[in-house]
């Protein structure tokens, strides 16, 4: 008998935490992850895929626990020397991370990003397939009060300080065959929208028409986890961006943003005031402590997602 399968959409650090929780609760081969590549860019001639690497390092157990991105036990000789040579230091590549990027550069000469990610995952001992949303560039562009910025210029160089006026995603990005076949897997029991930033990390994935329509047409229920706890993001500029875009900073606004897509939403115990308003959008709500610090927290949130998916079961069609 084919085993049940689960598919998560993930961007930055918050998404990777839930992915690790799901990984700890599922058997080998049950979980696949679609990674946002809207943050990818070329820097110092190297192809940088931050969300892919955050997933690979997290699943391999070698992510930097202080930042969530980059490798643990990192050394910085390369950056120090680069600075002495007058090179750019706003985007920090540690020595061990640099090797990852050199290897990706080399492999990309003869393989797709999907194949390269599989090879790097194998080298790191990661068994969960991490599937880039696309093999071609799909840069997210941030429009701000002080001008238009490439994603990493906004997020890292400017520390997400400029006020966001709009965010755009290229309209013509093609999903990979691997992503589309994962979405049409008959054994799929849930599509999971992790608590990554909905506008910066999840929207680029959903902006790809074939991915959005496959999710809408899937029989598996779509379950999200709210990235807000008591109106604040655990990490990163989600609440700040919501404010700048004129969206109220609470979990109901997250549910409204995903309305028509979600069958279920896991919200934090601090946000139960919104439960009935969210349910009136046709979204089943479950409540837990969604702060994911230790592995047991990640497993608890994963359990909430997996039990809600099992309770809801297959659905006929969305929207
Ligand atoms: N984030 C930072 O805030 N500062 C950095 O210098 C930085 C370097 C970096 C290098 C490799 C990598 O894969 C990620 C890196 N990030 C850095 C994280 C990152 O760019 C963002 O967290 C994501 O794009 C948002 O999901």
């Amino acid at each position: 008998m084919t085993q049940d399968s689960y598919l998560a959409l993930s961007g930055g650090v918050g998404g990777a935490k839930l992915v690790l929780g799901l990984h700890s609760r599922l058997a080998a081969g049950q979980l696949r992850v679609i990674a946002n590549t809207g943050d990818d860019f070329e820097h110092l001639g190297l192809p940088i895929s931050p969300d892919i690497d955050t997933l690979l390092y997290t699943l391999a157990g070698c992510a930097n626990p202080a930042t969530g991105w980059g490798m643990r036990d990192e050394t910085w000789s390369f950056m120090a020397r680069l600075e002495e040579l007058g090179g750019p230091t706003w985007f920090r590549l540690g020595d061990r991370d640099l090797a990852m990027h050199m290897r990706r550069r080399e492999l990309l000469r003869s393989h797709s990003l999907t194949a390269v990610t599989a090879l790097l995952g194998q080298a790191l001992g990661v068994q969960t397939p991490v599937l880039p949303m696309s093999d071609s560039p799909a840069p997210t562009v941030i429009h701000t009060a002080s001008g238009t910025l490439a994603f990493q210029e906004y997020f890292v160089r400017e520390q997400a300080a400029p006020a966001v006026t709009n965010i755009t995603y290229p309209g013509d990005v093609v999903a990979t065959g691997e992503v589309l076949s994962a979405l049409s897997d008959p054994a799929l029991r849930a599509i999971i929208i992790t608590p990554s930033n909905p506008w910066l990390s999840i929207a680029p994935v959903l902006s790809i028409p074939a991915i959005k329509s496959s999710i809408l047409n899937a029989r598996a229920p779509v379950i999200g986890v709210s990235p807000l706890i008591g109106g604040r993001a655990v990490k990163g500029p989600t609440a700040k961006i919501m404010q700048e875009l004129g969206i109220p900073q609470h979990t109901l606004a997250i549910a409204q943003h995903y309305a028509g897509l979600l069958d279920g939403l896991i919200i934090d115990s601090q946000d139960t005031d919104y439960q009935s308003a969210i349910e009136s959008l046709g979204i089943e709500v479950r409540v837990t402590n969604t702060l994911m610090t230790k592995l047991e927290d990640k497993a608890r949130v994963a359990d909430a997602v997996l039990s809600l998916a099992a309770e809801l079961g297959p659905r006929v069609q969305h929207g």
Side-chain angles (χ1 to χ4, degrees):
M1 209 183 87
T2 40
Q3 61 177 355
D4 292 347
S5 77
Y6 297 86
L7 185 60
L9 273 58
S10 182
V13 176
K17 286 182 179 179
L18 178 60
V19 166
L20 188 61
L22 290 163
H23 166 81
S24 76
R25 284 304 202 229
L26 294 168
Q30 284 194 289
L31 179 64
R32 278 174 285 194
V33 188
I34 302 178
N36 171 41
T37 59
D39 302 11
D40 293 18
F41 76 133
E42 192 169 296
H43 186 62
L44 301 169
L46 297 169
I48 318 279
S49 290
D51 291 353
I52 290 175
D53 287 355
T54 294
L55 282 163
L56 292 180
Y57 290 164
T58 300
L59 287 163
C62 65
N64 179 332
T67 55
W69 55 266
M71 290 197 71
R72 72 158 72 236
D73 304 324
E74 190 54 282
T75 55
W76 299 94
S77 303
F78 165 72
M79 285 308 296
R81 187 68 187 131
L82 184 66
E83 188 165 17
E84 286 163 9
L85 294 172
T89 55
W90 62 270
F91 193 83
R92 297 178 57 74
L93 291 173
D95 299 334
R96 305 176 81 206
D97 199 23
L98 178 63
M100 179 82 160
H101 288 93
M102 300 292 286
R103 184 73 178 129
R104 174 179 285 119
R105 164 85 294 154
E106 186 197 15
L107 289 169
L108 275 172
R109 292 188 210 287
S110 48
H111 298 81
S112 67
L113 182 62
T114 300
V116 171
T117 305
L119 289 167
L120 292 171
Q122 227 169 51
L124 289 167
V126 173
Q127 275 153 16
T128 299
V130 172
L131 309 174
M133 66 189 198
S134 178
D135 279 330
S136 40
T140 299
V141 175
I142 313 293
H143 306 268
T144 77
S146 35
T148 296
L149 297 170
F151 185 90
Q152 298 297 339
E153 291 172 346
Y154 160 75
F155 198 90
V156 176
R157 197 190 66 199
E158 303 302 324
Q159 301 280 290
V164 173
T165 52
N166 194 15
I167 304 170
T168 51
Y169 320 96
D172 53 355
V173 178
V174 177
T176 67
E178 286 80 356
V179 161
L180 296 180
S181 87
L183 280 164
S184 61
D185 180 356
L188 197 57
R189 294 294 171 263
I191 297 169
I192 300 147
I193 311 280
T194 64
S196 296
N197 185 310
W199 289 271
L200 296 183
S201 300
I202 301 294
V205 185
L206 296 176
S207 76
I208 300 178
I211 294 185
K212 178 83 177 276
S213 63
S214 299
I215 295 177
L216 288 171
N217 293 320
R219 288 195 74 222
V222 182
I223 314 288
V225 175
S226 175
L228 294 186
I229 299 179
R232 302 163 90 107
V234 175
K235 186 175 189 289
T238 306
K240 177 177 178 285
I241 289 173
M242 290 174 82
Q243 193 220 336
E244 291 160 356
L245 294 177
I247 302 165
Q249 301 105 73
H250 52 53
T251 278
L252 173 59
I254 299 289
Q256 286 163 335
H257 171 74
Y258 285 132
L261 190 75
L262 288 186
D263 300 288
L265 182 66
I266 309 299
I267 66 169
D268 189 79
S269 349
Q270 290 185 33
D271 294 321
T272 48
D273 285 358
Y274 299 110
Q275 181 162 355
S276 59
I278 297 172
E279 285 178 340
S280 67
L281 298 169
I283 299 171
E284 196 71 28
V285 172
R286 292 294 178 273
V287 180
T288 189
N289 170 3
T290 60
L291 186 65
M292 293 182 279
T293 312
K294 302 197 190 109
L295 183 60
E296 66 198 61
D297 304 318
K298 294 163 191 155
R300 176 186 62 246
V301 181
D303 283 344
V305 169
L306 297 172
S307 351
L308 181 51
E311 266 182 70
L312 292 178
R315 53 149 161 83
V316 183
Q317 212 183 16
H318 265 292

